[in-house]
Amino acid sequence: MNLITTAPRGTKDILPKEAYKFSLVENAIKKIASSFGYREIRTPVFEHTSLFKRSVGEETDVVQKEMYTFKDKGERLLTLRPEGTACIARAILENGLHNSTLPLKLFYLYSCYRYEKPQAGRYREFNQFGIECFGAKSATADAEIICLANEILNKLNINDVVLNINSIGCPNCREKYFKALSDYLNDKKENLCEDCKTRLKTNPMRVLDCKKINCKKIIENAPIMLDFLCEDCSEHFKNVKQILNNLGIKYNIDGKIVRGLDYYTKTVFEFIYNKNQEPLTICGGGRYDGLTQQLGGPDLPSLGFAFGLERLINVLEENDYFKDKSYEDCKIFIAYADQIAKNKVFSLVKELRANGVYAECDLNDKSLKAQLKYANKINAVYSMVLGEEEIKSNIAKLKNMKTKQTIDINIDEYFFNKFLNIINSGEN
Ligand code: AMP
């Protein structure tokens, strides 16, 4: 083959043998989110670039290096969404959803776009399942969303996961912390990478995200936000931990988690999967109390999290989750022995499908032998052949492809009910 092009780097085709796994997981997750009162929301795949600059933060890697930004024909500066929260906050404010009963609980299933170096579990186009809860300020809300993420992992039987939590305070307590952190980092400035030298001036907390070895070493002994929390943030974090304890949800406190996006405040958390490989964040989230105001809306204390679906599915594959959850096999293949039977075959198949049964027939003018070979190939559970005689007598032989046993069945107007009776009774 001489294809003129291939899929862009960092993207992948989700083929049928994988796509059904996405549907399966998405449906399972949706059901859990619904039981916590979350409703689906969908927003455009691109937004004005300013939305992400203002909310995610000018100094974050996402905004600085990873956004797919372009000008449209009307000279508007647009960006493919790199994450979901900012888009949803914009949508609820623009549509006035925050004026309804609060808290407003929303979930989304989105593709997101980040220009990152592609590697295992890291793509340029990836899918997130996220939840956002607007207008909930108490620690119970923090515990509830953590509980929801935890429930998803439990229902999907994922065990090798740890929950790390932290509090990164609010603008009030951050001032003192930024000073301490800047003092500490300034002392070691010479050994920081060029990016971190800039971050030190604009937002020293972003240095804590740096993955470069030298910077990571320096960060190890850096002061942590937990030691600088104001009374309100400290009390809030204490309450979150208390509720998690009451719910029996295990966690570690990791003072180094800051999350890669600027809008977070107070509680932040990550679920890390670490079985046989490098630890992998499969879910991350936290509180973002200032976001709606930052976007020009009212003060709405809010919070949320996102799962990376590709990562989640990789983990599920590793844990054999899909082993006995394959595609549905074709229930029945109906073949024709001659042209007279062709129309009848098609109308029986139509009737079965209208009743939700996965039925197939030939679409390629194949010989009878070739039709039955095909039925074998697609693992049809039953097969049936119609010819002149069957049409005349209204009776055909239904064959169980595994046991090779056959049973007579009427192909009149009650065919579907009879077929159902036979497969349910296990008669054949
Ligand atoms: P974030 O929006 O950065 O908090 O990411 C939330 C979740 O999305 C992460 O925990 C990952 O599971 C997933 N994720 C983030 N970036 C990528 C990527 N480039 N490729 C695949 N999954 C990703």
Side-chain angles (χ1 to χ4, degrees):
M1 252 192 322
N2 205 1
L3 292 182
I4 60 150
T5 186
T6 55
R9 188 166 144 77
T11 68
K12 61 177 198 159
D13 299 310
I14 302 178
L15 302 176
K17 70 176 177 10
E18 230 192 324
Y20 88 93
K21 297 178 184 171
F22 276 77
S23 299
L24 212 73
V25 172
E26 286 168 5
N27 289 338
I29 295 180
K30 276 186 192 175
K31 214 166 147 191
I32 301 165
S34 300
S35 72
F36 278 72
Y38 285 81
R39 299 285 170 263
E40 186 172 10
I41 182 165
R42 300 181 190 205
T43 65
V45 81
F46 54 84
E47 296 274 356
H48 289 286
T49 304
S50 51
L51 174 69
F52 302 113
K53 283 195 172 172
R54 279 300 297 274
S55 55
V56 172
E58 294 266 8
E59 292 312 318
T60 57
D61 272 0
V62 170
V63 168
Q64 289 260 316
K65 303 176 186 167
E66 297 170 3
M67 294 209 301
Y68 278 89
T69 296
F70 58 97
K71 268 194 182 160
D72 73 359
K73 288 195 167 74
E75 292 291 302
R76 294 170 198 91
L77 196 59
L78 302 170
T79 294
L80 299 184
R81 61 182 169 223
E83 59 102 42
T85 304
C87 312
I88 290 171
R90 192 236 357 106
I92 68 135
L93 295 174
E94 192 173 330
N95 293 288
L97 297 191
H98 58 289
N99 296 321
S100 55
T101 316
L102 297 176
L104 186 60
K105 292 174 158 187
L106 303 168
F107 78 80
Y108 61 89
L109 279 156
Y110 272 179
S111 56
C112 295
Y113 303 84
R114 293 184 194 173
Y115 191 80
E116 292 194 86
K117 193 170 171 221
Q119 49 189 283
R122 197 173 290 283
Y123 312 98
R124 290 184 175 168
E125 181 187 58
F126 59 99
N127 291 281
Q128 283 192 344
F129 165 80
I131 67 115
E132 314 290 353
C133 178
F134 293 90
K137 65 172 192 273
S138 111
T140 324
D142 305 47
E144 189 189 76
I145 66 159
I146 291 174
C147 183
L148 168 46
N150 194 59
E151 190 61 26
I152 289 175
L153 293 166
N154 283 345
K155 285 261 158 60
L156 296 175
N157 295 328
I158 301 176
N159 300 314
D160 302 279
V161 172
V162 290
L163 164 63
N164 295 333
I165 64 170
N166 188 22
S167 173
I168 54 169
C170 65
N172 287 341
C173 39
R174 266 190 212 156
E175 214 171 293
K176 257 207 270 164
Y177 174 60
F178 275 21
K179 166 110 186 40
L181 184 61
S182 301
D183 288 349
Y184 171 85
L185 294 172
N186 263 317
D187 273 355
K188 298 166 172 61
K189 196 169 154 186
E190 292 320 307
N191 295 322
L192 289 175
C193 70
E194 287 310 307
D195 280 348
C196 282
K197 281 181 188 152
T198 315
R199 289 171 184 144
L200 187 51
K201 285 188 214 140
T202 49
N203 184 351
M205 223 151 96
R206 289 277 69 89
V207 176
L208 304 183
D209 280 339
C210 190
K211 303 285 177 286
K212 304 233 168 70
I213 294 179
N214 275 352
C215 298
K216 270 174 110 171
K217 262 192 209 147
I218 294 173
I219 295 161
E220 258 171 42
N221 296 314
I224 54 170
M225 187 69 225
L226 281 178
D227 295 330
F228 291 82
L229 294 182
C230 63
E231 222 180 290
D232 177 40
C233 288
S234 183
E235 183 67 16
H236 187 92
F237 194 48
K238 196 179 97 193
N239 290 337
V240 173
K241 290 184 289 183
Q242 181 72 58
I243 304 168
L244 291 179
N245 291 339
N246 289 347
L247 294 172
I249 296 176
K250 293 203 172 66
Y251 56 84
N252 303 312
I253 299 196
D254 180 350
K256 291 276 158 25
I257 306 177
V258 286
R259 312 283 307 127
L261 319 173
D262 271 0
Y263 49 62
Y264 284 112
T265 52
K266 293 186 175 166
T267 317
V268 286
F269 62 89
E270 293 178 341
F271 283 88
I272 314 279
Y273 176 71
N274 48 9
K275 183 183 173 188
N276 329 315
Q277 60 179 2
E278 280 276 288
L280 189 71
T281 310
I282 49 175
C283 169
R287 187 167 268 288
Y288 47 87
D289 285 348
L291 180 61
T292 48
Q293 263 184 327
Q294 234 169 297
L295 297 180
D299 176 20
L300 278 180
S302 308
L303 64 171
F305 66 69
F307 271 92
L309 282 185
E310 282 78 3
R311 289 189 194 177
L312 191 59
I313 284 166
N314 285 346
V315 166
L316 288 169
E317 262 163 0
E318 213 179 289
N319 288 283
D320 281 340
Y321 179 79
F322 301 106
K323 204 171 157 198
D324 45 3
K325 298 181 181 67
S326 190
Y327 301 105
E328 188 198 353
D329 276 331
C330 171
K331 259 286 165 331
I332 176 167
F333 184 94
I334 311 184
Y336 53 84
D338 48 50
Q339 292 303 313
I340 301 166
K342 210 169 174 180
N343 282 341
K344 181 72 177 175
V345 165
F346 208 71
S347 65
L348 288 182
V349 165
K350 176 180 174 285
E351 189 194 340
L352 288 162
R353 288 173 176 169
N355 285 288
V357 174
Y358 172 15
E360 280 289 9
C361 61
D362 168 61
L363 301 178
N364 271 324
D365 297 328
K366 284 189 184 125
S367 67
L368 178 59
K369 198 173 157 202
Q371 289 180 60
L372 293 173
K373 209 168 152 190
Y374 176 78
N376 246 324
K377 258 195 185 155
I378 62 167
N379 286 328
V381 183
Y382 291 92
S383 69
M384 201 166 81
V385 179
L386 302 192
E388 203 179 337
E389 201 173 301
E390 284 79 13
I391 302 291
K392 252 193 230 150
S393 64
N394 247 348
I395 292 173
K397 292 207 178 314
L398 181 71
K399 180 174 181 181
N400 183 320
M401 300 282 278
K402 230 188 220 151
T403 62
K404 311 287 179 214
Q405 278 181 343
T406 58
I407 189 168
D408 283 350
I409 183 168
N410 244 306
I411 51 171
D412 57 15
E413 69 264 41
Y414 303 111
F415 170 71
F416 166 70
N417 289 330
K418 290 196 177 116
F419 178 65
L420 211 62
N421 282 343
I422 291 173
I423 60 175
N424 286 341
S425 67
E427 249 182 80
N428 184 21

